[in-house]
Amino acid sequence: VAHDGTWAIRTEGSSPSAAGNWWGLDSYGLSTATYGTEMQVSFYYHMFGADMGTLRVQISKDGGAFADLTGNGVTLPLSGQQQTAETQAYLLGAVTLGTGESGANNMTGVTNYVIRFRGEYGTSYRTDIHLDQIHTWNTGGAPPAPPSGTGTNPMACDTCHEFGPND
């Protein structure tokens, strides 16, 4: 079930998936010359299951290692069950990137970057994570309300990968 419309990204926690494995949804390589240094990323997520794993939003700057981003109004990374019923509505998550932000969210001196949604499987098949309505946009300052289906979305589903614990 999608948050909006018919389609959403859904992970499958059944075998051969196992605790310790993870999947990643990566953006295209993004340039601060094109997208700027002030950016908002918003997304809807659904994490219902007794053995739910972890959802991280990460960034790789100028070819470096991926680092966890902190959330805007939501504590990231998200671990464990977030909804209390399968039919409960998706929740909104967001991160802000910018020169005035701290930690991994700070974009000072960055030229190129990649945004990753990383899902880590829980301990059984009850660990499916759903993502929908992923939006990115240049804010040029304070983040606006999440867009309603407009703008360019550099998230690329053809770069979805499932990785083992040693990758």
Side-chain angles (χ1 to χ4, degrees):
V1 174
H3 165 73
D4 182 30
T6 305
W7 302 100
I9 298 168
R10 175 181 178 265
T11 65
E12 178 53 57
S14 300
S15 182
S17 300
N21 286 5
W22 62 276
W23 55 265
L25 172 64
D26 294 354
S27 70
Y28 296 105
L30 304 172
S31 164
T32 54
T34 302
Y35 289 96
T37 58
E38 311 298 317
M39 178 179 270
Q40 173 88 13
V41 180
S42 68
F43 58 97
Y44 283 90
Y45 62 94
H46 196 281
M47 297 171 66
F48 174 74
D51 303 309
M52 185 56 61
T54 300
L55 175 63
R56 299 174 185 279
V57 182
Q58 301 180 311
I59 190 168
S60 169
K61 300 175 188 174
D62 295 321
F66 280 91
D68 288 343
L69 294 168
T70 55
N72 224 13
V74 62
T75 302
L76 291 172
L78 293 162
S79 292
Q81 181 169 285
Q82 302 297 307
Q83 275 82 355
T84 57
E86 188 173 353
T87 56
Q88 188 176 358
Y90 279 62
L91 299 172
L92 177 63
V95 298
T96 300
L97 305 174
T99 55
E101 301 298 318
S102 61
N105 296 54
N106 187 289
M107 297 295 284
T108 302
V110 175
T111 304
N112 297 295
Y113 58 102
V114 174
I115 303 291
R116 169 179 286 165
F117 285 84
R118 176 182 166 138
E120 300 167 356
Y121 291 105
T123 57
S124 83
Y125 68 92
R126 295 179 299 232
T127 185
D128 299 341
I129 297 174
H130 301 241
L131 292 173
D132 200 5
Q133 298 296 310
I134 299 169
H135 294 279
T136 58
W137 68 97
N138 182 294
T139 62
S148 58
T150 62
T152 302
N153 186 350
M155 297 305 291
C157 197
D158 59 349
T159 59
C160 298
H161 302 286
E162 183 174 317
F163 298 91
N166 298 318
D167 291 334

